[in-house]
Amino acid sequence: MAGYGDLGSVLTVADCLRMEPLAGAVLEAGAAGINRPVRWVHVVDIPEIEECLVGGELILTSGISLGHDQSLQNRIVPIMHELELAGLVIAIGPYIERVPATILRAADEYAIPVISIPWSINFRDITETLMAAILQQQYALLARSERIHRSLTELVLQGGNLSDLARRLAQLLNRSVVIVDPVFQHLASELTSHASAFARRLAAGGRPPEEARDLMLQHTRYTDGWPAPRASIGRSVDPPGILAPILVDHRIHGYLWLDSNEQASSAEHESDLMTVERAATVAALLIYKDDAVREAERRLDVDLLDALLDGGLLDEGLIERARRSSLLSEGPYGVAVLDIGTRDSLVAAKVAQIAASRIEALAHVRVRNRQLVIIAPCTTRARLRAIAEEVCSAFIDHGHEIPFGLSDIVRGVYEIGHAYREARDALEIGKVVDPDLKRYAIYELRTLQRFTATLAIHDGMLPESPVLAELDRHDREKGTNLVETLEAYLRSEGNTSAAARELGIHRHTLLYRLDRIRELTNLTFTPATRLDLRLTLLAWRMHERSRRSPAR
C-alpha cells in the first residue's frame, strides 16, 4: 500500500526558474507568489488575454502588445489575479525595454511573479522543457489514480462490502473515510488517528451540521438528462474534505466523504478528487450488487407479504413459506401506514427500511398505493409508534414531514391484513378529522372507524344532509368555498380565529362566510347540529377518498 499517497510536489514558478531555459531569468516582482502552481505554459501577445486562458498558466510574452498599450499594462496583473494565473514572463527586447513600474507595483500587491528574460532565450525551449515536466507530473497523477482504482476494483471482485471499501481507501490515502445513506445515516467508515471532528461525527451516526447537509442536498437535484454531480470540496466544513455522491441508476444512494490533506499540493488535491469519484463508483457497484441480492430475496417474500396484507386465504405454498421464512416471527404484530405523496417510492422505501430497522430489526417496509406500509413485530402500541416516529424523523431531516396511521396490536402474522386495514383507516379518518395532527392511531378513533365501516357495508350509502347539499351546490355554481369553511369551523370547535388561520383568511372574511351559510341554510350552530354535520362531512370525505383510491 505504501507509495500510493506520494505524488511529489506540483510544478511551481520557483521550480521553473531552476530549469535550464530560464537560467538567465530575473524575478522582477511578486516574490510572495513564487510557489504558485504552474499547470500550463502559454505564449500570449494579444491585448484580450482573458479570452485564451483558463487558469493556472504561466504566460510568456514578447511585449509586442504590452510594450505600447498603457491600458493593458494597468489591467494585466488584476486579470491574472482574477484568473489565478501562475506568473508572467516578459522577453526584454525591441518591443519592451524594461518591465513597466505599473506592472511591478501590481505584481507585488497581488503576489503574482513577474519575470524578465533576455531576448536571446527562445520561447520554444521554455515551453518544451516546462510542458515535459507538467505532462510527466500529470501522468504520475493519472497513474496513481489508476493504481488506486485497480485496487478498489479488485475489492469488488473479491466480494468486498462498503466497510471493506472504506477501510481500503483509508489505508491507501492515510485519511478518514465515511459513507452515509441519502439521509446521512452511517453505512460504513474507517477513521485514522487524525480524523476530523466532522468525520467522527458522521461515523458515530450523528447528523451533519446544516451547512454540510446543504452541500450534500445540492447533489439531490440531479435528475436523468442532467449532468451527473461530481465530487466537490466541502469548504463549508472545517476542516474541509472531499464529498462525492454515490449514484445508482440515476438515483443518489448515498455520499462518500474523505478528509482532506491540508498539506497536500494542488496536484494531490486533484488526484484525491479523481480517487474519490472512482471510489464512489465502486461504492455504487457494491450497492447495486447488494440491491440485486436483496431484490432476489425480496421477490420471494413479496407474495407472502401481499397475501398477508390483503387478508385473503393463503395457499399451501405461502403457508409453508411463512413457516420457513425468517421474514416473519411468531408473536404479536403492528402495522403503520405513511403517506409519501409524490416522492420517489424506491428511495422512500429504502430510507424507511433503514430507519425502521434501527428500532426493530425484523420490521419490513412495502410500498402500496403511494403509501409506505411498515409491518413490525410489536408487543406494545408505544413500540409501534416509536418505529413510525423514527421513520418520520428521517424524512423530516430530509425536509419533509409525512402523516402516519397506526393499527392496534394483533396476535400473530395471520392478522396482519386486519392490522393493515386498521392503520389505513386511521390515516384516512385522521386526515379528514384533524389534518394538522399527522399522527393517528386506530385505538383513538374506534367510534369513527365503526361509523364509516357501517356506511361502507350499505354499499357506499351517504347520509342525507340538505345543509351540505345546498352549500355544495352553491360552491359549484358560484365558485365559493362554503363547505370548506364550514368544515374548518367545525374542526376548530367553533373557534373562529383558529378556523381563519387554518383557511389562511382574515377572521372578518370567515365571519362573512358563516353569515352567508346561515342565510342559505337557516342553520343554527347547536351542539347537536355540529356533531351531525361533522359526522356527515366525515362520511362525505371518506366516500370521496374511496372513489379516488385504487384497491392497491
Side-chain angles (χ1 to χ4, degrees):
M1 303 288 181
Y4 280 122
D6 284 337
L7 187 62
S9 300
V10 66
L11 190 70
T12 66
V13 175
D15 296 328
C16 295
L17 289 175
R18 287 191 287 269
M19 294 183 182
E20 181 58 35
L22 291 174
V26 176
L27 179 62
E28 301 279 359
I34 195 69
N35 290 317
R36 281 178 174 263
V38 178
R39 295 189 176 87
W40 206 251
V41 183
H42 203 42
V43 178
V44 178
D45 269 319
I46 59 172
E48 299 81 13
I49 66 167
E50 59 266 53
E51 295 181 5
C52 55
L53 301 170
V54 295
E57 294 96 339
L58 180 67
I59 298 177
L60 309 181
T61 180
S62 66
I64 192 170
S65 296
L66 188 63
H68 62 81
D69 189 336
Q70 185 65 47
S71 172
L72 181 59
Q73 292 175 13
N74 291 335
R75 59 190 177 87
I76 188 169
V77 175
I79 290 173
M80 293 177 66
H81 171 71
E82 184 177 342
L83 295 177
E84 298 183 351
L85 302 186
L88 176 64
V89 177
I90 302 174
I92 302 300
Y95 302 115
I96 188 166
E97 296 180 357
R98 65 178 63 85
V99 180
T102 303
I103 293 177
L104 296 177
R105 286 194 299 270
D108 284 333
E109 178 183 351
Y110 289 105
I112 293 180
V114 172
I115 300 158
S116 66
I117 60 172
W119 186 261
S120 58
I121 296 179
N122 194 310
F123 279 179
R124 184 186 62 188
D125 295 336
I126 297 175
T127 56
E128 284 183 355
T129 302
L130 299 189
M131 288 305 301
I134 292 170
L135 292 174
Q136 182 179 12
Q137 197 263 347
Q138 290 181 346
Y139 174 78
L141 182 151
L142 289 172
R144 170 186 187 256
S145 181
E146 190 62 37
R147 288 195 302 271
I148 292 176
H149 182 64
R150 212 163 33 241
S151 175
L152 298 179
T153 304
E154 287 172 2
L155 185 146
V156 178
L157 299 176
Q158 293 164 359
N161 54 31
L162 290 177
S163 294
D164 297 324
L165 172 63
R167 188 178 308 110
R168 180 73 60 86
L169 190 60
Q171 290 171 347
L172 292 172
L173 299 177
N174 191 29
R175 269 171 284 151
S176 296
V177 177
V178 184
I179 303 172
V180 296
D181 70 11
V183 290
F184 324 124
Q185 299 300 313
H186 175 265
L187 295 178
S189 61
E190 184 71 19
L191 302 181
T192 63
S193 59
H194 50 279
S196 69
F198 179 74
R200 293 184 186 279
R201 180 173 179 173
L202 283 183
R207 301 288 195 268
E210 184 175 348
E211 60 273 15
R213 287 205 302 273
D214 289 344
L215 172 69
M216 291 175 168
L217 290 173
Q218 286 173 13
H219 292 302
T220 65
R221 301 189 181 96
Y222 166 64
T223 56
D224 192 13
W226 288 83
R230 301 189 61 199
S232 55
I233 303 293
R235 301 189 191 282
S236 57
V237 180
D238 186 23
I242 299 175
L243 176 78
I246 300 170
L247 290 169
V248 179
D249 192 24
H250 301 296
R251 290 188 179 92
I252 290 181
H253 283 245
Y255 304 93
L256 190 150
W257 172 268
L258 172 71
D259 273 355
S260 66
N261 178 3
E262 295 184 71
Q263 282 73 48
S265 67
S266 60
E268 287 173 314
H269 278 307
E270 290 178 14
S271 177
D272 287 345
L273 281 169
M274 294 172 61
T275 297
V276 169
E277 286 183 345
R278 291 185 170 187
T281 300
V282 171
L285 289 173
L286 293 173
I287 289 173
Y288 182 80
K289 180 191 72 173
D290 290 344
D291 284 352
V293 172
R294 278 195 296 268
E295 179 63 17
E297 294 172 348
R298 187 190 69 82
R299 284 174 183 159
L300 296 175
D301 296 318
V302 163
D303 290 346
L304 173 59
L305 283 176
D306 281 342
L308 291 171
L309 290 172
D310 289 338
L313 295 176
L314 303 183
D315 61 35
E316 291 185 6
L318 289 177
I319 292 173
E320 181 61 25
R321 186 179 299 171
R323 291 194 185 111
R324 292 186 290 103
S325 176
S326 61
L327 177 72
L328 300 170
S329 62
E330 296 297 327
Y333 270 82
V335 174
V337 174
L338 297 81
D339 262 345
I340 57 173
T342 59
R343 298 174 186 89
D344 186 310
S345 59
L346 291 178
V347 173
K350 193 165 194 175
V351 169
Q353 185 66 67
I354 292 170
S357 298
R358 287 197 291 270
I359 303 294
E360 173 51 63
L362 293 178
H364 297 278
V365 176
R366 294 280 289 116
V367 178
R368 282 188 153 206
N369 189 28
R370 305 303 307 164
Q371 292 178 329
L372 294 176
V373 181
I374 302 172
I375 307 163
C378 289
T379 56
T380 66
R381 295 168 173 175
R383 184 166 179 80
L384 179 60
R385 182 178 289 270
I387 294 170
E389 291 286 4
E390 182 69 18
V391 173
C392 285
S393 71
F395 287 96
I396 290 171
D397 284 344
H398 215 46
H400 307 293
E401 184 176 8
I402 57 178
F404 65 72
L406 303 177
S407 74
D408 211 339
I409 304 302
V410 296
R411 289 174 295 179
V413 295
Y414 298 109
E415 294 186 28
I416 284 175
H418 174 72
Y420 171 52
R421 290 190 294 277
E422 283 192 337
R424 196 171 54 187
D425 285 349
L427 180 60
E428 295 304 315
I429 294 170
K431 287 193 296 186
V432 172
V433 174
D434 190 356
D436 293 330
L437 183 60
K438 299 191 183 301
R439 275 91 174 107
Y440 314 107
I442 196 64
Y443 44 84
E444 297 169 351
L445 300 166
R446 282 290 183 205
T447 300
L448 293 178
Q449 184 201 24
R450 289 174 183 138
F451 170 72
T452 55
T454 301
L455 295 176
I457 289 171
H458 291 86
D459 195 24
M461 176 189 71
L462 283 174
E464 293 183 3
S465 173
V467 169
L468 292 180
E470 175 61 24
L471 296 180
D472 184 59
R473 181 195 63 77
H474 189 276
D475 282 348
R476 283 186 281 105
E477 291 180 359
K478 305 294 185 181
T480 53
N481 303 97
L482 297 183
V483 173
E484 181 187 22
T485 300
L486 177 61
E487 194 169 14
Y489 176 70
L490 295 172
R491 193 158 47 233
S492 301
E493 304 291 345
N495 186 323
T496 54
S497 297
R501 281 196 301 273
E502 179 182 331
L503 294 168
I505 61 176
H506 195 278
R507 183 171 174 273
H508 291 307
T509 304
L510 178 75
L511 293 174
Y512 167 78
R513 291 184 184 178
L514 292 175
D515 287 340
R516 186 66 180 137
I517 290 171
R518 292 188 185 96
E519 290 173 8
L520 291 169
T521 63
N522 295 316
L523 179 63
T524 301
F525 288 111
T526 66
T529 58
R530 285 179 180 172
L531 177 60
D532 181 74
L533 286 168
R534 287 207 72 180
L535 291 175
T536 305
L537 277 166
L538 172 62
W540 280 36
R541 296 306 186 206
M542 294 298 292
H543 181 67
E544 288 175 4
R545 288 180 183 277
S546 65
R547 284 190 305 171
R548 290 198 302 266
S549 300
R552 288 262 305 264

